Amino acid sequence: MLIRRPDVILPSEITDASLFHGRRDWIRNASAMGLIAGLPVLSACSVEAQGMKLAGVKPNPQYVLPDEKINKAEDFKNYCNFYEFGTDKSEPPVLAKALKTRPWTITIEGEVNKPKVFDIDELYKLAPLEERVYRFRCVEAWSMVVPWVGFSLAELIKRVEPRGNAKYVEFVTLADKAIMPGLRSSVLDWPYVEGLRMDEAMHPLTLLTLGAYGEMLPNQNGAPVRMVVPWKYGFKSGKSIVKIRFVEKEPRTAWVKSGPSEYGFYSNVNPNVDHARWSQATERRLGEFGKRRSLMFNGYGEQVASMYAGMDLKKFI
Amino acid sequence: MALSVTFPLTVFAPWRSLTNAQVQRAKWVLVALGMLPLARMLIGLPLGWLGVNPIEFVTRSTGTWTIVSLVVTLSITPLRNITGWVWLVRLRRSAGLITFFYAALHFITYVWLDRFFDVNDIIKDIIKRPFITVGFAAFVLLIPLAITSNNALIKKLGAQNWQRLHNLVYVIAILAVVHFIWLARRNPIEPYIYAAIFALLFAARIYWRFKAK
């Protein structure tokens, strides 16, 4: 008889220690309140995923920044632009607590031979999880150095077999009015949509990201799955993705729709092209007093510049 | 039935006459309140109250308190007309100087912590970036007002000239709000709240001007 054993225990399947130890308290409280029958048991099973340690993550030695200091996890968790939870950076860390990341599915559709709906836990098994230290440069002229966890988006793309007419990839992110107070504002056209050209999406640097700092992504940083495209301004890296579409035409992204005069589809980090209201020549690395000179393609020019050969980067911004 | 309100309102009658010592005390209370935001920044910086990006916090906070102090300064005359507390006018200079104080801190934060005294960068900013142009103009216009906020210079200029000069405060308020609107992120609400308050304060002045005629 063949006894099959799963080769990995998914991090999401591991019950959080505090929850484990607290289960008796929970049962006691719930029964005291007369709630124990039926439904509430389900809620006892739903495990809070964010902040859990990710097992089996290997640092990828190709993507380290030995000369740069990694930002503190506290910086990363408390300074977020996530407009669905409010336009102030202090709002997402509080309001994103309402985000439920299990169950979660990501729909892959459009011009592909093998469209598929992935359960989030399937994604963890799709390819080996790597830690990669990337510079992260926000369009607002601040930056961080973050150890992300994930794998190249190319790994996923190969498996769904894009057709020849799939020229672009569109990322659609969660828009849930019940938990996202920011959606009441007309600051952007919801849902937040971002996109990449096919070659950009296939580039090994482009990271399908499931964690950071060795843990599952905090909710406010785009749990359970987000993009990280390190040579582009941060807003290109959509958070809490629910759908990835392969399309023929350049996607109309949320920011292009709302402020076409500010940035276009590409939004590559470019110190030579200013924002309408501020210079992009320098940036403030969080935790540093002075300002740094910003780098073309955020310092990833060697790997990515060839994709834009012949394009006027003052025009295609 | 036509609604008719007579100013000053009688409810405020009890506090209409204050002794010099009481006014002096009120002035110190105002100055002490005005220094609280600065105290919060100075104490909070080493304690981490200012968050992950403390320089951004200081830049924003000094700007916010400049405009709040300006609101307080411009509220004094309407409040006097409503309450009949004539002594309020004697607090106006302190409020105005607190405004200048935060404006100067705001300007220094920009020149030092944002531009690191790079004169070329600063000049480029002032020319190229409209929100900096108007903010800088507002600050420059505040300087003569701060300098002439003392009895000696009021005497020297003469009350009428002094008043004419200090009418610049209305221009400054408009520039400050425009600065705020233009720099703010998309869909700003906060600067429009200040715009509405200033509009109300201006309207009150116009109302009393016409009534006086």
Side-chain angles (χ1 to χ4, degrees), chain A residues 79 81 83 140 255 277 284, chain B residues 53 56 113 184-186:
Chain A
Y79 201 73
N81 280 324
Y83 279 15
E140 297 165 343
W255 279 107
R277 280 167 294 156
R284 172 158 284 127
Chain B
N53 193 346
E56 183 200 22
L113 301 177
R185 304 157 75 91
R186 280 162 184 292

Side-chain angles (χ1 to χ4, degrees), chain B residues 7-29:
Chain B
F7 293 111
L9 300 171
T10 43
V11 268
F12 296 105
W15 298 280
R16 269 184 201 151
S17 56
L18 256 59
T19 64
N20 279 341
Q22 283 171 316
V23 175
Q24 201 58 37
R25 226 174 294 149
K27 212 183 274 182
W28 283 118
V29 170

Side-chain angles (χ1 to χ4, degrees), chain A residues 120-148:
Chain A
I120 184 69
D121 290 325
E122 265 178 274
L123 272 193
Y124 287 91
K125 287 185 278 194
L126 192 86
L129 294 180
E130 302 170 15
E131 179 172 86
R132 299 186 182 187
V133 181
Y134 283 165
R135 287 179 214 96
F136 185 87
R137 169 64 158 80
C138 179
V139 71
E140 297 165 343
W142 55 266
S143 63
M144 294 192 202
V145 174
V146 180
W148 302 104

Side-chain angles (χ1 to χ4, degrees), chain B residues 44 86 125 169 194:
Chain B
V86 181
D125 262 357
V169 74
Y194 290 108

Side-chain angles (χ1 to χ4, degrees), chain A residues 199-247:
Chain A
D199 57 340
E200 298 175 324
M202 285 296 288
H203 194 282
L205 274 171
T206 302
L207 194 71
L208 190 76
T209 304
L210 297 155
Y213 294 88
E215 297 177 349
M216 288 196 178
L217 278 174
N219 286 354
Q220 65 268 32
N221 296 97
V225 57
R226 65 172 294 169
M227 291 309 307
V228 175
V229 193
W231 71 94
K232 292 176 180 285
Y233 292 121
F235 67 84
K236 289 297 289 182
S237 299
K239 298 190 181 84
S240 305
I241 293 168
V242 292
K243 199 181 278 184
I244 300 178
R245 301 178 63 217
F246 291 78
V247 294

